[in-house]
Amino acid sequence: MRYQILLLHNRHRDNIAMGLEPGQPPATNMRKMYWDYELEHMAEVWARQCQKRHDECRNTVRFNVLQNMDVRAVVSRVTEAQLLADAVGAWFSGSRVLPPDHVWSFRLSNCSAPGGCNAHWYSAAAWASTWRLGCSQALCTAKKPSCVQFRQRRTISKVKPPSTSIPTATRTSNILRRTKYMTSAKSSWFQDYVTTDSSNRRKESPLHRGIVPQTENKVKQHSETKILAYTFCNYGPAGNIDGFPIYEAGHTCANCPQGSLCGDRTHRALCSVLGDPDFVTET
């Protein structure tokens, strides 16, 4: 999980730096992200609580921390890799609603507005000076809403219903009703058919064995437990500072921070820390 979610973030940031993100300019100082175990531990503790809200106590001694959150239902035949790819892709899809002029000067928007939080999630993951990442995912069961049982009011009718005379059954009908293959008025299938032997079933099995009620399948569907995947990612040092640029727009790798340089064999447009094992030195 660590390698995959880190690779997804760096791929999206690499596309932004090269100008491949639709509607967004290329970046000159986009840093490569590295895994942080302290941020991962904080995200894991919070994800296990299965709460659909952000952790308000997430800052560390080293730097302030921003957090992205994704909650989605787990369906059949969906792997953990697909869940992580969908979560990270949803965060970076906020570039579609972010105005290009906000790249030079970030503006805090209202989350209640259309696409407001999507732009915040994108800027938190695409902030150029953010280079530490720690994420965690937890699978939780969806809790059913609490229900209060009310007593039904009983209505007692004062008028006594007229008595209906039931005709006496003949001897032939009584014999048929006592056989094992006859249905009663209360049941739509043959209740006594289970008690017969296998030999009798082959010889004297009726043509119509009854209809299984369709409510059983519906009950099984409702009884299945719904599982939700809670994904949280912490970013440091935190971005989304009002009035500051998300990244410097311009030629790729033209203004890498001190102590970093472009030359990663996988992400060529990101500024890697000197001494990175994936850094390729020119010979």
PDB file of all heavy atoms in Angstrom, residues 164-186:
ATOM      1  N   THR A 164     -70.465 -16.610   9.347  1.00  0.00           N
ATOM      2  CA  THR A 164     -70.621 -17.278   8.051  1.00  0.00           C
ATOM      3  C   THR A 164     -70.630 -18.770   8.274  1.00  0.00           C
ATOM      4  O   THR A 164     -69.790 -19.310   9.013  1.00  0.00           O
ATOM      5  CB  THR A 164     -69.469 -16.896   7.115  1.00  0.00           C
ATOM      6  OG1 THR A 164     -68.247 -17.235   7.751  1.00  0.00           O
ATOM      7  CG2 THR A 164     -69.488 -15.395   6.812  1.00  0.00           C
ATOM      8  N   SER A 165     -71.546 -19.431   7.652  1.00  0.00           N
ATOM      9  CA  SER A 165     -71.662 -20.883   7.795  1.00  0.00           C
ATOM     10  C   SER A 165     -70.718 -21.560   6.829  1.00  0.00           C
ATOM     11  O   SER A 165     -70.698 -21.250   5.639  1.00  0.00           O
ATOM     12  CB  SER A 165     -73.106 -21.325   7.518  1.00  0.00           C
ATOM     13  OG  SER A 165     -73.476 -20.940   6.213  1.00  0.00           O
ATOM     14  N   ILE A 166     -69.894 -22.444   7.342  1.00  0.00           N
ATOM     15  CA  ILE A 166     -68.929 -23.171   6.522  1.00  0.00           C
ATOM     16  C   ILE A 166     -69.538 -24.505   6.152  1.00  0.00           C
ATOM     17  O   ILE A 166     -69.959 -25.270   7.028  1.00  0.00           O
ATOM     18  CB  ILE A 166     -67.615 -23.385   7.289  1.00  0.00           C
ATOM     19  CG1 ILE A 166     -67.045 -22.022   7.713  1.00  0.00           C
ATOM     20  CG2 ILE A 166     -66.612 -24.166   6.456  1.00  0.00           C
ATOM     21  CD1 ILE A 166     -65.819 -22.127   8.567  1.00  0.00           C
ATOM     22  N   PRO A 167     -69.634 -24.822   4.872  1.00  0.00           N
ATOM     23  CA  PRO A 167     -70.237 -26.098   4.486  1.00  0.00           C
ATOM     24  C   PRO A 167     -69.372 -27.263   4.925  1.00  0.00           C
ATOM     25  O   PRO A 167     -68.143 -27.176   4.968  1.00  0.00           O
ATOM     26  CB  PRO A 167     -70.305 -25.998   2.964  1.00  0.00           C
ATOM     27  CG  PRO A 167     -69.248 -25.014   2.596  1.00  0.00           C
ATOM     28  CD  PRO A 167     -69.206 -24.024   3.719  1.00  0.00           C
ATOM     29  N   THR A 168     -70.030 -28.314   5.280  1.00  0.00           N
ATOM     30  CA  THR A 168     -69.329 -29.512   5.727  1.00  0.00           C
ATOM     31  C   THR A 168     -68.693 -30.209   4.544  1.00  0.00           C
ATOM     32  O   THR A 168     -69.323 -30.397   3.504  1.00  0.00           O
ATOM     33  CB  THR A 168     -70.310 -30.469   6.416  1.00  0.00           C
ATOM     34  OG1 THR A 168     -70.986 -29.749   7.449  1.00  0.00           O
ATOM     35  CG2 THR A 168     -69.579 -31.662   7.008  1.00  0.00           C
ATOM     36  N   ALA A 169     -67.419 -30.570   4.703  1.00  0.00           N
ATOM     37  CA  ALA A 169     -66.703 -31.208   3.608  1.00  0.00           C
ATOM     38  C   ALA A 169     -67.130 -32.652   3.477  1.00  0.00           C
ATOM     39  O   ALA A 169     -67.481 -33.321   4.449  1.00  0.00           O
ATOM     40  CB  ALA A 169     -65.197 -31.129   3.854  1.00  0.00           C
ATOM     41  N   THR A 170     -67.088 -33.128   2.277  1.00  0.00           N
ATOM     42  CA  THR A 170     -67.439 -34.520   2.021  1.00  0.00           C
ATOM     43  C   THR A 170     -66.301 -35.433   2.420  1.00  0.00           C
ATOM     44  O   THR A 170     -65.184 -34.987   2.707  1.00  0.00           O
ATOM     45  CB  THR A 170     -67.748 -34.703   0.531  1.00  0.00           C
ATOM     46  OG1 THR A 170     -66.591 -34.345  -0.217  1.00  0.00           O
ATOM     47  CG2 THR A 170     -68.923 -33.825   0.116  1.00  0.00           C
ATOM     48  N   ARG A 171     -66.586 -36.725   2.393  1.00  0.00           N
ATOM     49  CA  ARG A 171     -65.580 -37.694   2.790  1.00  0.00           C
ATOM     50  C   ARG A 171     -64.434 -37.730   1.793  1.00  0.00           C
ATOM     51  O   ARG A 171     -63.271 -37.873   2.160  1.00  0.00           O
ATOM     52  CB  ARG A 171     -66.238 -39.069   2.906  1.00  0.00           C
ATOM     53  CG  ARG A 171     -65.278 -40.150   3.379  1.00  0.00           C
ATOM     54  CD  ARG A 171     -65.994 -41.482   3.484  1.00  0.00           C
ATOM     55  NE  ARG A 171     -65.062 -42.511   3.926  1.00  0.00           N
ATOM     56  CZ  ARG A 171     -65.390 -43.799   4.050  1.00  0.00           C
ATOM     57  NH1 ARG A 171     -66.640 -44.187   3.780  1.00  0.00           N
ATOM     58  NH2 ARG A 171     -64.487 -44.672   4.448  1.00  0.00           N
ATOM     59  N   THR A 172     -64.750 -37.547   0.507  1.00  0.00           N
ATOM     60  CA  THR A 172     -63.702 -37.586  -0.514  1.00  0.00           C
ATOM     61  C   THR A 172     -62.734 -36.429  -0.351  1.00  0.00           C
ATOM     62  O   THR A 172     -61.519 -36.589  -0.449  1.00  0.00           O
ATOM     63  CB  THR A 172     -64.332 -37.543  -1.908  1.00  0.00           C
ATOM     64  OG1 THR A 172     -65.299 -38.576  -2.005  1.00  0.00           O
ATOM     65  CG2 THR A 172     -63.271 -37.715  -2.978  1.00  0.00           C
ATOM     66  N   SER A 173     -63.256 -35.225  -0.089  1.00  0.00           N
ATOM     67  CA  SER A 173     -62.376 -34.077   0.091  1.00  0.00           C
ATOM     68  C   SER A 173     -61.526 -34.226   1.336  1.00  0.00           C
ATOM     69  O   SER A 173     -60.370 -33.814   1.360  1.00  0.00           O
ATOM     70  CB  SER A 173     -63.202 -32.797   0.164  1.00  0.00           C
ATOM     71  OG  SER A 173     -64.070 -32.839   1.282  1.00  0.00           O
ATOM     72  N   ASN A 174     -62.051 -34.791   2.406  1.00  0.00           N
ATOM     73  CA  ASN A 174     -61.256 -35.002   3.610  1.00  0.00           C
ATOM     74  C   ASN A 174     -60.112 -35.973   3.354  1.00  0.00           C
ATOM     75  O   ASN A 174     -59.009 -35.809   3.866  1.00  0.00           O
ATOM     76  CB  ASN A 174     -62.140 -35.547   4.728  1.00  0.00           C
ATOM     77  CG  ASN A 174     -63.088 -34.486   5.262  1.00  0.00           C
ATOM     78  OD1 ASN A 174     -62.823 -33.301   5.111  1.00  0.00           O
ATOM     79  ND2 ASN A 174     -64.185 -34.915   5.858  1.00  0.00           N
ATOM     80  N   ILE A 175     -60.329 -36.962   2.573  1.00  0.00           N
ATOM     81  CA  ILE A 175     -59.269 -37.915   2.252  1.00  0.00           C
ATOM     82  C   ILE A 175     -58.169 -37.230   1.442  1.00  0.00           C
ATOM     83  O   ILE A 175     -56.983 -37.422   1.675  1.00  0.00           O
ATOM     84  CB  ILE A 175     -59.851 -39.116   1.491  1.00  0.00           C
ATOM     85  CG1 ILE A 175     -60.780 -39.909   2.409  1.00  0.00           C
ATOM     86  CG2 ILE A 175     -58.740 -40.012   0.973  1.00  0.00           C
ATOM     87  CD1 ILE A 175     -61.494 -41.041   1.704  1.00  0.00           C
ATOM     88  N   LEU A 176     -58.554 -36.381   0.507  1.00  0.00           N
ATOM     89  CA  LEU A 176     -57.556 -35.689  -0.305  1.00  0.00           C
ATOM     90  C   LEU A 176     -56.745 -34.699   0.527  1.00  0.00           C
ATOM     91  O   LEU A 176     -55.555 -34.531   0.318  1.00  0.00           O
ATOM     92  CB  LEU A 176     -58.246 -34.965  -1.460  1.00  0.00           C
ATOM     93  CG  LEU A 176     -58.870 -35.866  -2.527  1.00  0.00           C
ATOM     94  CD1 LEU A 176     -59.602 -35.021  -3.552  1.00  0.00           C
ATOM     95  CD2 LEU A 176     -57.810 -36.716  -3.208  1.00  0.00           C
ATOM     96  N   ARG A 177     -57.383 -34.055   1.464  1.00  0.00           N
ATOM     97  CA  ARG A 177     -56.656 -33.101   2.293  1.00  0.00           C
ATOM     98  C   ARG A 177     -55.694 -33.782   3.249  1.00  0.00           C
ATOM     99  O   ARG A 177     -54.743 -33.172   3.701  1.00  0.00           O
ATOM    100  CB  ARG A 177     -57.634 -32.235   3.084  1.00  0.00           C
ATOM    101  CG  ARG A 177     -58.408 -31.269   2.217  1.00  0.00           C
ATOM    102  CD  ARG A 177     -59.294 -30.386   3.066  1.00  0.00           C
ATOM    103  NE  ARG A 177     -60.095 -29.513   2.230  1.00  0.00           N
ATOM    104  CZ  ARG A 177     -59.668 -28.366   1.724  1.00  0.00           C
ATOM    105  NH1 ARG A 177     -58.444 -27.973   1.966  1.00  0.00           N
ATOM    106  NH2 ARG A 177     -60.459 -27.631   0.969  1.00  0.00           N
ATOM    107  N   ARG A 178     -55.952 -35.048   3.564  1.00  0.00           N
ATOM    108  CA  ARG A 178     -55.053 -35.745   4.469  1.00  0.00           C
ATOM    109  C   ARG A 178     -53.864 -36.366   3.752  1.00  0.00           C
ATOM    110  O   ARG A 178     -52.968 -36.879   4.385  1.00  0.00           O
ATOM    111  CB  ARG A 178     -55.820 -36.831   5.223  1.00  0.00           C
ATOM    112  CG  ARG A 178     -56.712 -36.289   6.327  1.00  0.00           C
ATOM    113  CD  ARG A 178     -57.111 -37.402   7.266  1.00  0.00           C
ATOM    114  NE  ARG A 178     -57.922 -38.413   6.588  1.00  0.00           N
ATOM    115  CZ  ARG A 178     -59.250 -38.389   6.551  1.00  0.00           C
ATOM    116  NH1 ARG A 178     -59.905 -37.400   7.143  1.00  0.00           N
ATOM    117  NH2 ARG A 178     -59.918 -39.338   5.936  1.00  0.00           N
ATOM    118  N   THR A 179     -53.857 -36.347   2.438  1.00  0.00           N
ATOM    119  CA  THR A 179     -52.710 -36.884   1.716  1.00  0.00           C
ATOM    120  C   THR A 179     -51.527 -35.945   1.829  1.00  0.00           C
ATOM    121  O   THR A 179     -51.672 -34.756   2.106  1.00  0.00           O
ATOM    122  CB  THR A 179     -53.056 -37.088   0.234  1.00  0.00           C
ATOM    123  OG1 THR A 179     -53.492 -35.856  -0.307  1.00  0.00           O
ATOM    124  CG2 THR A 179     -54.122 -38.145   0.065  1.00  0.00           C
ATOM    125  N   LYS A 180     -50.338 -36.467   1.577  1.00  0.00           N
ATOM    126  CA  LYS A 180     -49.116 -35.688   1.766  1.00  0.00           C
ATOM    127  C   LYS A 180     -48.864 -34.690   0.648  1.00  0.00           C
ATOM    128  O   LYS A 180     -48.001 -33.841   0.768  1.00  0.00           O
ATOM    129  CB  LYS A 180     -47.922 -36.629   1.876  1.00  0.00           C
ATOM    130  CG  LYS A 180     -47.990 -37.533   3.094  1.00  0.00           C
ATOM    131  CD  LYS A 180     -46.777 -38.422   3.172  1.00  0.00           C
ATOM    132  CE  LYS A 180     -46.837 -39.308   4.410  1.00  0.00           C
ATOM    133  NZ  LYS A 180     -45.651 -40.177   4.513  1.00  0.00           N
ATOM    134  N   TYR A 181     -49.579 -34.798  -0.457  1.00  0.00           N
ATOM    135  CA  TYR A 181     -49.304 -33.941  -1.592  1.00  0.00           C
ATOM    136  C   TYR A 181     -50.360 -32.863  -1.788  1.00  0.00           C
ATOM    137  O   TYR A 181     -50.375 -32.196  -2.806  1.00  0.00           O
ATOM    138  CB  TYR A 181     -49.201 -34.775  -2.873  1.00  0.00           C
ATOM    139  CG  TYR A 181     -48.165 -35.848  -2.781  1.00  0.00           C
ATOM    140  CD1 TYR A 181     -48.543 -37.176  -2.742  1.00  0.00           C
ATOM    141  CD2 TYR A 181     -46.819 -35.534  -2.721  1.00  0.00           C
ATOM    142  CE1 TYR A 181     -47.595 -38.171  -2.652  1.00  0.00           C
ATOM    143  CE2 TYR A 181     -45.867 -36.523  -2.634  1.00  0.00           C
ATOM    144  CZ  TYR A 181     -46.254 -37.841  -2.597  1.00  0.00           C
ATOM    145  OH  TYR A 181     -45.314 -38.820  -2.510  1.00  0.00           O
ATOM    146  N   MET A 182     -51.241 -32.695  -0.839  1.00  0.00           N
ATOM    147  CA  MET A 182     -52.273 -31.671  -0.957  1.00  0.00           C
ATOM    148  C   MET A 182     -51.818 -30.412  -0.239  1.00  0.00           C
ATOM    149  O   MET A 182     -51.161 -30.465   0.794  1.00  0.00           O
ATOM    150  CB  MET A 182     -53.595 -32.163  -0.362  1.00  0.00           C
ATOM    151  CG  MET A 182     -54.284 -33.221  -1.208  1.00  0.00           C
ATOM    152  SD  MET A 182     -54.666 -32.620  -2.853  1.00  0.00           S
ATOM    153  CE  MET A 182     -55.774 -31.287  -2.465  1.00  0.00           C
ATOM    154  N   THR A 183     -52.195 -29.271  -0.804  1.00  0.00           N
ATOM    155  CA  THR A 183     -51.867 -27.988  -0.194  1.00  0.00           C
ATOM    156  C   THR A 183     -53.014 -27.523   0.667  1.00  0.00           C
ATOM    157  O   THR A 183     -54.175 -27.823   0.404  1.00  0.00           O
ATOM    158  CB  THR A 183     -51.601 -26.934  -1.274  1.00  0.00           C
ATOM    159  OG1 THR A 183     -52.757 -26.827  -2.092  1.00  0.00           O
ATOM    160  CG2 THR A 183     -50.415 -27.319  -2.124  1.00  0.00           C
ATOM    161  N   SER A 184     -52.699 -26.798   1.695  1.00  0.00           N
ATOM    162  CA  SER A 184     -53.712 -26.230   2.568  1.00  0.00           C
ATOM    163  C   SER A 184     -54.042 -24.818   2.122  1.00  0.00           C
ATOM    164  O   SER A 184     -53.397 -24.248   1.248  1.00  0.00           O
ATOM    165  CB  SER A 184     -53.227 -26.242   4.020  1.00  0.00           C
ATOM    166  OG  SER A 184     -52.064 -25.446   4.137  1.00  0.00           O
ATOM    167  N   ALA A 185     -55.011 -24.209   2.772  1.00  0.00           N
ATOM    168  CA  ALA A 185     -55.410 -22.855   2.400  1.00  0.00           C
ATOM    169  C   ALA A 185     -54.399 -21.818   2.852  1.00  0.00           C
ATOM    170  O   ALA A 185     -54.341 -20.715   2.331  1.00  0.00           O
ATOM    171  CB  ALA A 185     -56.778 -22.545   2.997  1.00  0.00           C
ATOM    172  N   LYS A 186     -53.562 -22.146   3.843  1.00  0.00           N
ATOM    173  CA  LYS A 186     -52.599 -21.194   4.381  1.00  0.00           C
ATOM    174  C   LYS A 186     -51.258 -21.242   3.670  1.00  0.00           C
ATOM    175  O   LYS A 186     -50.487 -20.310   3.748  1.00  0.00           O
ATOM    176  CB  LYS A 186     -52.380 -21.454   5.875  1.00  0.00           C
ATOM    177  CG  LYS A 186     -53.628 -21.275   6.712  1.00  0.00           C
ATOM    178  CD  LYS A 186     -53.323 -21.522   8.168  1.00  0.00           C
ATOM    179  CE  LYS A 186     -54.563 -21.351   9.032  1.00  0.00           C
ATOM    180  NZ  LYS A 186     -54.279 -21.607  10.460  1.00  0.00           N
TER     181      LYS A 186
END
